[in-house]
Amino acid sequence: MSVVRVQVPASTANMGPGFDCLGMALQLYNSVEMTATDAGLFIDVQGEGSGGIPRDESNIVYLAAMRVFKQVGYKCGGLKIKLHNNIPVSKGLGSSTAAIVGGIIAANIISGQQLTQREMLNMACAMEGHPDNVAAAVFGGIAVAVPVDGEIKHIKIEPPKKMKAVVAIPEFNLPTKISREALPQQVSFNDASFNLARLALLVAALGQGDMALLGVSMEDRLHQPYRSNLIPGMKKVIAAARLAGARGVSLSGAGPTLAAFTDDNYEHIARVMKDTFKQNGVMARTMILDPSPVGARALEIK
Ligand code: HSE
């Protein structure tokens, strides 16, 4: 029986204007341990979300593994899956991506490493629906990722030195589906051009480590204004974090977590974000997270 353990980083997607195409891996990891057995399915979940994560065939790690086995023609008698989760669930920090990517990589190792990293990336994006979290989780660093005819085009950018993400994670969950339903079918030409100018500036600034430009370049008009109705105090927390010294602040993925990107004043910004959420009736916890330079990787294969 082979046992495989894969570690996958959390990720913060969009980073303001980069809706569905920009993400950064964070040093907060889930691990997926998978063992091929003779019969049946056994799933154990420890850590974040352990109470609510299904332990049957609807489990997303299991579904991802089955997709790999089907594609490569591997006959699986049974599977033991042990999940140790550090990434908060349904908060906009890439927990479902971590589950999908972890499941795919572990299953690929168990079935004889028949898929390339790129094939696994494409499969994970097909399951997740968009590549921003996925490319960051697979490759680490900052990911610019764009689907073109079913293939993901990806460039990795090294995060600016000293840059950390201060994340304020509200107590309530915001399912991605609900957060995407809040988005309009159409946007104005002005808003589209506002975003693409800022995204170009943001990617260039990140690539050159120019933190001073993050404030203006992380502004967004395509998704955050609509999603702010779902997150009490969001605008105030963003403004307060900026005042406290954050270089740029964005909604993390589909939310409800807010991420402040900064190279200084980490604890102060965290406190201000938590307090401002509280003043708006939202209990939140904070974390100060370094970017993860590495993406998902197998830690043990026995
Ligand atoms: N880019 C996605 C969104 C991330 O904003 O909906 C959520 O997975």
Side-chain angles (χ1 to χ4, degrees), residues 96-110:
S96 70
T97 289
I100 291 169
V101 168
I104 288 176
I105 293 177
N108 188 47
I109 295 170
I110 282 180

Side-chain angles (χ1 to χ4, degrees), residues 13-14 18-22 92 94 96-97 128 130-133 176 179-180 183 223 227 251-255:
N14 302 326
F19 182 73
D20 276 1
C21 65
L22 186 64
S96 70
T97 289
E128 179 64 72
H130 27 79
D132 43 5
N133 289 100
T176 300
S179 186
R180 289 181 87 86
L183 304 180
H223 67 107
R227 289 170 158 174
L251 182 63
S252 186

Side-chain angles (χ1 to χ4, degrees), residues 20-274:
D20 276 1
C21 65
L22 186 64
M24 182 170 83
L26 299 168
Q27 288 193 29
L28 180 70
Y29 301 95
N30 279 3
S31 87
V32 172
E33 190 180 295
M34 200 177 279
T35 314
T37 63
D38 295 335
L41 172 64
F42 170 83
I43 299 178
D44 177 50
V45 189
Q46 304 286 331
E48 293 285 341
S50 57
I53 292 174
R55 288 163 167 76
D56 58 15
E57 293 182 355
S58 67
N59 181 281
I60 194 164
V61 176
Y62 173 78
L63 291 173
M66 286 302 121
R67 202 151 163 154
V68 172
F69 294 156
K70 188 170 176 209
Q71 176 140 338
V72 304
Y74 176 80
K75 296 274 172 285
C76 173
L79 217 49
K80 185 161 121 187
I81 297 172
K82 284 187 174 180
L83 306 177
H84 195 281
N85 294 342
N86 291 308
I87 307 173
V89 175
S90 226
K91 305 290 190 194
L93 287 167
S95 63
S96 70
T97 289
I100 291 169
V101 168
I104 288 176
I105 293 177
N108 188 47
I109 295 170
I110 282 180
S111 55
Q113 314 234 34
Q114 299 184 61
L115 300 180
T116 63
Q117 195 181 36
R118 216 137 261 290
E119 286 169 327
M120 290 192 282
L121 174 74
N122 293 337
M123 183 184 278
C125 289
M127 283 187 78
E128 179 64 72
H130 27 79
D132 43 5
N133 289 100
V134 177
V138 170
F139 295 110
I142 294 171
V144 183
V146 178
V148 180
D149 300 331
E151 291 275 318
I152 305 302
K153 305 292 176 197
H154 160 256
I155 296 277
K156 177 174 179 176
I157 300 172
E158 295 303 331
K161 287 189 180 55
K162 281 183 71 190
M163 183 173 92
K164 295 181 197 278
V166 180
V167 294
I169 309 163
E171 218 172 37
F172 68 91
N173 292 349
L174 179 53
T176 300
K177 185 170 179 291
I178 306 257
S179 186
R180 289 181 87 86
E181 280 169 5
L183 304 180
Q185 291 296 314
Q186 295 192 325
V187 296
S188 72
F189 188 86
N190 274 350
D191 287 352
S193 93
F194 178 98
N195 258 60
L196 66 85
R198 274 149 190 82
L199 179 56
L201 191 63
L202 175 59
V203 169
L206 289 169
Q208 297 194 1
D210 189 340
M211 298 282 293
L213 281 172
L214 295 195
V216 65
S217 65
M218 278 192 172
E219 288 178 4
D220 161 78
R221 285 193 188 164
L222 294 190
H223 67 107
Q224 292 188 179
Y226 306 99
R227 289 170 158 174
S228 71
N229 299 327
L230 304 172
I231 303 162
M234 174 173 147
K235 287 181 187 157
K236 288 184 179 148
V237 176
I238 290 177
R242 292 276 285 126
L243 262 180
R247 302 292 203 142
V249 189
S250 66
L251 182 63
S252 186
T257 293
L258 295 176
F261 300 88
T262 182
D263 50 2
D264 205 357
N265 300 315
Y266 312 106
E267 281 84 11
H268 176 58
I269 293 167
R271 214 165 28 247
V272 165
M273 293 173 86
K274 186 184 171 93

